[in-house]
Amino acid sequence: MAGGIPRGPVAATNIKSRRGIEEPALIRRVLIGIVVGFVGVFLLLPLANVFAQAFAKGWSAYVQALQQPDTRSAVLLTLLVSAICVPLNLVFGVVAAWAVAKFQFRGKALLITLIDLPFSVSPVVSGLIYVVMFGAQGFLGPWLDSKDIQIIFAVPGIVLATLFVTFPFVARELIPLMEAQGSDAEQAALTLGATGWQTFRHVTLPSVKWGLLYGVILCNARAMGEFGAVSVVSGHISGVTETLPLRIEKLHQEYQSVAAFSAASLLAILALITLGLKTWLERRQATEQALGQSDSPSSHEH
Amino acid sequence: MSIELRQVSKRFGSVSAVEDVSLTVADGELVALLGPSGGGKTTVLRMIAGLEVPTSGDLLVRGERVNDVPVQKRNIGFVFQSYALFKTMSVFDNIAFGLKIRKTPPAEIQTRVDELLKLFGLDGLGRRLPHQLSGGQRQRVAIARALAPRPSVLLLDEPFGAVDAKIRQELREWLVRLHRELHVTTIFVTHDQEEAMEVSNRIVIFSRGRLEQIGTPREVYEQPKNEFVARFIGVLNVLELTILNGAARLHELSFPAHGLPEGQTLRIGFRPYAVQISRNLQEHPYLAVIRHVYFLGVQLRLELETPSGLILRTRIVKDEFLRQGLEQGSSVSFQIREYRVLSTGANSLSPEVATVHSAATFAEGI
């Protein structure tokens, strides 16, 4: 810059331009205060309260509450359901993302919309769909009855309902990731002699692993926490078709406050772990993407 | 005969990407597929690789039809424009990939990859990840990876598109040296005519899916088959003339007519170097004013404007420009030393007509 320009106007311009993009301090503080206050009152306080209620009568009461046979079987059922649903939706999600990201076909946009359907439908409706399909008065009910297969008010119904609501998580996570990466690397692997499976295993999977893990974690959290859809198909048979969220509700309605909150604390811990992992994975993914895109040579040693 | 395309066409739905292309590439050649983007050259390259299947026509490698041979079995090395390095693998693992897939013994892989790292000036970078490399290094890794399994052909899609101008120049020279050393048949795609001229032994020019001309860089420059090629390879002045009183004329310019009927139109083209200028206004038959001077280094490009408003482009060596004391706005006299008849007839704009009349060659002098 030429030395002859007087300082005054330059400084004034600077202040002005800063004002242009930054809110005055007071507004900033008020806005941040509102957000922090809201998060505190509506999120943190209830969470703390869950643990406070769970431990209201001490550690031994807490442990005892969790050792109730019905609560234990609810925990086991919840684990079973997610152990079935998460792998299935993992496979489905990878297949769907692969199909959408790597191939061009008719009805692709519709397919993407349909994958999202469980997100936009109320879980209660999802549950009712299965009752209508498989229930005694339902579509396939009589046929299933004749074969002595019970789906509604039994574990298969719970698994189906959970599958439905957790359907989009992995696919939603992978589709944009795979679309952004394109298929050049896969094609390069093919030209180097790799089969489709080798390409998937050595090239595609490693490049989406963090996104995949992220989707799986969210899928798992939802599978374990789902209430609405499961509630409709479960029948609430204690010790048989009661998942953890259903158990908590029942305990709560029976005024077993410590037992209810003890069970709830398990889900709260799951939520906290999920949140922690999610944050960690997001950071990993972000740095990896930033590194992948940066053109500068070796400025980051990782 | 290493690679041959016989009347190959490729359609994507209703869009025709490549139409009726026949082409032979001999063993050890370095060939450029040149043309504007959307010209079909990348599709041709991908068909040779097996990444696309021709809609019709035959693709032969060493005389054998390979249309239905899958990409994995073609033993070609393909370098993508984006390089398509495996970002989760180290440089070493990237280069070793093709060998590992072929179940090459580890000791052999080690030897081969080390050899390539050395050849490509990548010593000591084997453990880096692709994002830790510069653009030029990434490209060399991509080429090394393609060459590792000793392919019979190396195919490169816009190899110099993604790096900046200075590195591009180095890479061009490096590719020529590499080809000289390894002697592997190499075909590369480019939209940059200068790059094609400088690097390749032969140039194949495409436009809108059709093959326009095949020839050495000198052939396509000096004997372009049609106006498209002439315009695409280097700068070309084009004039549309009319036969009047036995000569082809446009404003004050006139050229000898080869016994053409009165009133017929005629298109001619000439390179900037064919326009000779002089400060001495009596030296050449026509007059013009220098409207613009573009500095290109040793050479200058000038834009001339005749009194009747015609714009012509010419080139002059800087020393000559200074010796004559020329500058922007100077009046000069000029002549057109050689030119080429691009087409005759009313619908002279169509390239087909231009091809028919391409027999007419440069006319020396005026």
Side-chain angles (χ1 to χ4, degrees):
Chain A
M1 202 181 277
I5 293 173
R7 278 175 179 222
V10 175
T13 319
N14 273 346
I15 290 166
K16 216 175 157 188
S17 70
R18 264 188 71 170
R19 275 237 178 104
I21 53 162
E22 272 181 40
E23 299 297 339
L26 182 65
I27 293 186
R28 204 161 27 143
R29 272 184 214 151
V30 169
L31 285 177
I32 293 173
I34 290 173
V35 175
V36 170
F38 191 88
V39 169
V41 171
F42 287 92
L43 295 176
L44 292 179
L45 209 59
L47 186 64
N49 194 39
V50 167
F51 289 97
Q53 295 284 337
F55 290 104
K57 292 185 180 150
W59 173 255
S60 61
Y62 176 77
V63 174
Q64 218 176 0
L66 291 182
Q67 277 172 346
Q68 284 183 17
D70 287 351
T71 303
R72 282 182 61 176
S73 81
V75 169
L76 290 176
L77 180 59
T78 296
L79 290 175
L80 174 73
V81 168
S82 70
I84 296 170
C85 292
V86 172
L88 282 178
N89 274 333
L90 167 71
V91 172
F92 165 76
V94 171
V95 170
W98 182 280
V100 167
K102 313 284 180 186
F103 304 133
Q104 294 300 328
F105 54 90
R106 215 177 263 224
K108 190 160 134 173
L110 183 68
L111 183 69
I112 297 174
T113 316
L114 283 178
I115 289 173
D116 269 348
L117 187 69
F119 275 167
S120 51
V121 168
S122 161
V124 177
V125 177
S126 326
L128 280 174
I129 292 169
Y130 286 100
V131 173
V132 169
M133 286 275 289
F134 303 117
Q137 268 76 50
F139 201 55
L140 296 171
W143 183 81
L144 288 167
D145 213 33
S146 70
K147 297 270 185 261
D148 210 16
I149 302 169
Q150 200 181 0
I151 289 181
I152 300 304
F153 305 142
V155 175
I158 295 172
V159 170
L160 284 175
T162 308
L163 262 181
F164 182 85
V165 293
T166 58
F167 200 56
F169 284 97
V170 175
R172 268 332 278 177
E173 203 52 51
L174 290 187
I175 288 170
L177 198 60
M178 284 192 177
E179 275 183 333
Q181 288 178 353
S183 54
D184 277 4
E186 278 85 3
Q187 291 185 9
L190 295 179
T191 66
L192 290 164
T195 60
W197 170 247
Q198 284 171 323
T199 303
F200 176 73
R201 217 177 80 78
H202 296 297
V203 178
T204 312
L205 208 52
S207 68
V208 297
K209 61 176 182 239
W210 301 118
L212 185 64
L213 209 53
Y214 185 91
V216 164
I217 284 167
L218 292 184
C219 179
N220 183 58
R222 182 70 190 265
M224 289 189 171
E226 177 56 26
F227 179 84
V230 171
S231 174
V232 176
V233 296
S234 130
H236 302 263
I237 307 162
S238 291
V240 183
T241 64
E242 230 174 28
T243 62
L244 196 51
L246 301 184
R247 179 75 193 147
I248 293 165
E249 213 230 348
K250 187 175 272 182
L251 288 169
H252 174 69
Q253 281 173 348
E254 289 167 358
Y255 299 104
Q256 300 193 42
S257 158
V258 169
F261 280 104
S262 300
S265 74
L266 293 180
L267 283 183
I269 289 168
L270 171 72
L272 290 175
I273 292 172
T274 304
L275 197 67
L277 283 172
K278 181 172 166 294
T279 312
W280 177 69
L281 283 172
E282 269 171 357
R283 208 171 292 166
R284 275 244 48 155
Q285 240 184 317
T287 37
E288 209 154 87
Q289 264 170 19
L291 290 177
Q293 282 161 5
S294 80
D295 279 337
S296 64
S298 73
S299 49
H300 334 253
E301 291 294 334
H302 202 60
Chain B
M1 239 171 259
S2 191
I3 296 169
E4 192 183 344
L5 277 74
R6 283 190 196 152
Q7 296 172 322
V8 168
S9 297
K10 175 70 185 175
R11 309 180 142 272
F12 295 104
S14 60
V15 183
S16 176
V18 173
E19 268 180 73
D20 199 23
V21 167
S22 296
L23 155 73
T24 306
V25 178
D27 249 330
E29 265 197 291
L30 176 51
V31 172
L33 306 184
L34 173 67
S37 48
K41 52 200 193 307
T42 296
T43 308
V44 168
L45 199 74
R46 290 173 61 85
M47 284 194 286
I48 296 171
L51 292 168
E52 307 283 357
V53 179
T55 313
S56 65
D58 291 330
L59 188 66
L60 296 96
V61 174
R62 293 181 204 283
E64 269 175 64
R65 190 172 180 276
V66 296
N67 284 42
D68 308 316
V69 177
V71 51
Q72 289 95 338
K73 302 261 185 269
R74 292 212 187 170
N75 194 30
I76 44 93
F78 197 102
V79 180
F80 288 79
Q81 184 173 9
S82 62
Y83 309 149
L85 295 179
F86 306 135
K87 58 179 188 170
T88 55
M89 292 183 206
S90 67
V91 168
F92 186 98
D93 288 338
N94 263 280
I95 299 175
F97 188 84
L99 300 168
K100 282 183 186 159
I101 292 293
R102 284 166 173 75
K103 306 237 185 313
T104 312
E108 215 172 296
I109 294 180
Q110 184 76 42
T111 319
R112 176 70 175 150
V113 176
D114 283 345
E115 177 195 358
L116 284 164
L117 285 172
K118 199 163 182 172
L119 178 67
F120 284 70
L122 295 164
D123 295 287
L125 301 179
R127 295 172 74 179
R128 295 259 185 104
L129 286 172
H131 69 77
Q132 296 169 320
L133 302 176
S134 70
Q137 287 169 335
R138 277 180 219 178
Q139 191 194 35
R140 280 179 277 157
V141 173
I143 298 178
R145 182 179 68 179
L147 287 174
R150 302 184 193 278
S152 50
V153 193
L154 179 63
L155 306 174
L156 304 105
D157 189 7
E158 293 278 2
F160 313 118
V163 289
D164 55 58
K166 195 176 172 323
I167 298 174
R168 199 179 307 161
Q169 184 58 40
E170 289 171 17
L171 282 171
R172 283 183 198 174
E173 289 164 16
W174 175 80
L175 183 67
V176 172
R177 271 205 308 280
L178 184 80
H179 179 256
R180 206 184 301 144
E181 276 174 44
L182 301 178
H183 228 74
V184 57
T185 311
T186 305
I187 304 175
F188 73 99
V189 158
T190 177
H191 62 268
D192 182 339
Q193 50 99 5
E194 225 174 278
E195 196 170 284
M197 301 270 268
E198 189 177 318
V199 175
S200 65
N201 314 135
R202 261 195 328 149
I203 299 179
V204 183
I205 298 165
F206 287 93
S207 139
R208 284 179 282 164
R210 291 184 169 277
L211 197 155
E212 300 285 351
Q213 188 171 0
I214 309 179
T216 63
R218 193 165 170 186
E219 278 164 7
V220 295
Y221 187 75
E222 291 182 351
Q223 293 149 41
K225 265 192 177 168
N226 56 40
E227 186 172 339
F228 172 81
V229 174
R231 278 177 181 273
F232 198 74
I233 303 281
V235 180
L236 188 76
N237 292 297
V238 176
L239 297 176
E240 190 155 339
L241 312 165
T242 312
I243 311 291
L244 258 176
N245 304 327
R249 297 173 199 276
L250 177 64
H251 300 302
E252 62 267 58
L253 303 181
S254 87
F255 300 85
H258 312 281
L260 292 164
E262 289 285 305
Q264 180 156 30
T265 53
L266 173 74
R267 279 163 80 80
I268 64 159
F270 47 94
R271 301 284 184 202
Y273 70 77
V275 181
Q276 202 170 26
I277 63 169
S278 169
R279 182 90 223 219
N280 177 354
L281 300 182
Q282 265 74 53
E283 191 169 342
H284 299 307
Y286 308 117
L287 294 178
V289 172
I290 299 174
R291 276 282 166 248
H292 281 288
V293 179
Y294 299 94
F295 181 72
L296 305 174
V298 182
Q299 285 210 332
L300 303 174
R301 200 175 92 214
L302 308 181
E303 210 173 274
L304 304 180
E305 188 178 348
T306 67
S308 60
L310 287 173
I311 303 289
L312 300 176
R313 283 165 296 180
T314 180
R315 270 174 190 247
I316 187 167
V317 180
K318 193 179 76 183
D319 290 347
E320 175 68 11
F321 186 78
L322 295 174
R323 194 185 59 76
Q324 291 204 32
L326 294 167
E327 55 185 15
Q328 193 158 313
S330 298
S331 290
V332 294
S333 66
F334 75 92
Q335 66 163 334
I336 298 160
R337 284 184 300 150
E338 55 186 53
Y339 62 93
R340 195 175 163 79
V341 176
L342 299 170
S343 61
T344 56
N347 52 349
S348 52
L349 275 170
S350 106
E352 284 78 10
V353 177
T355 316
V356 170
H357 291 273
S358 64
T361 49
F362 284 102
E364 295 292 333
I366 256 178

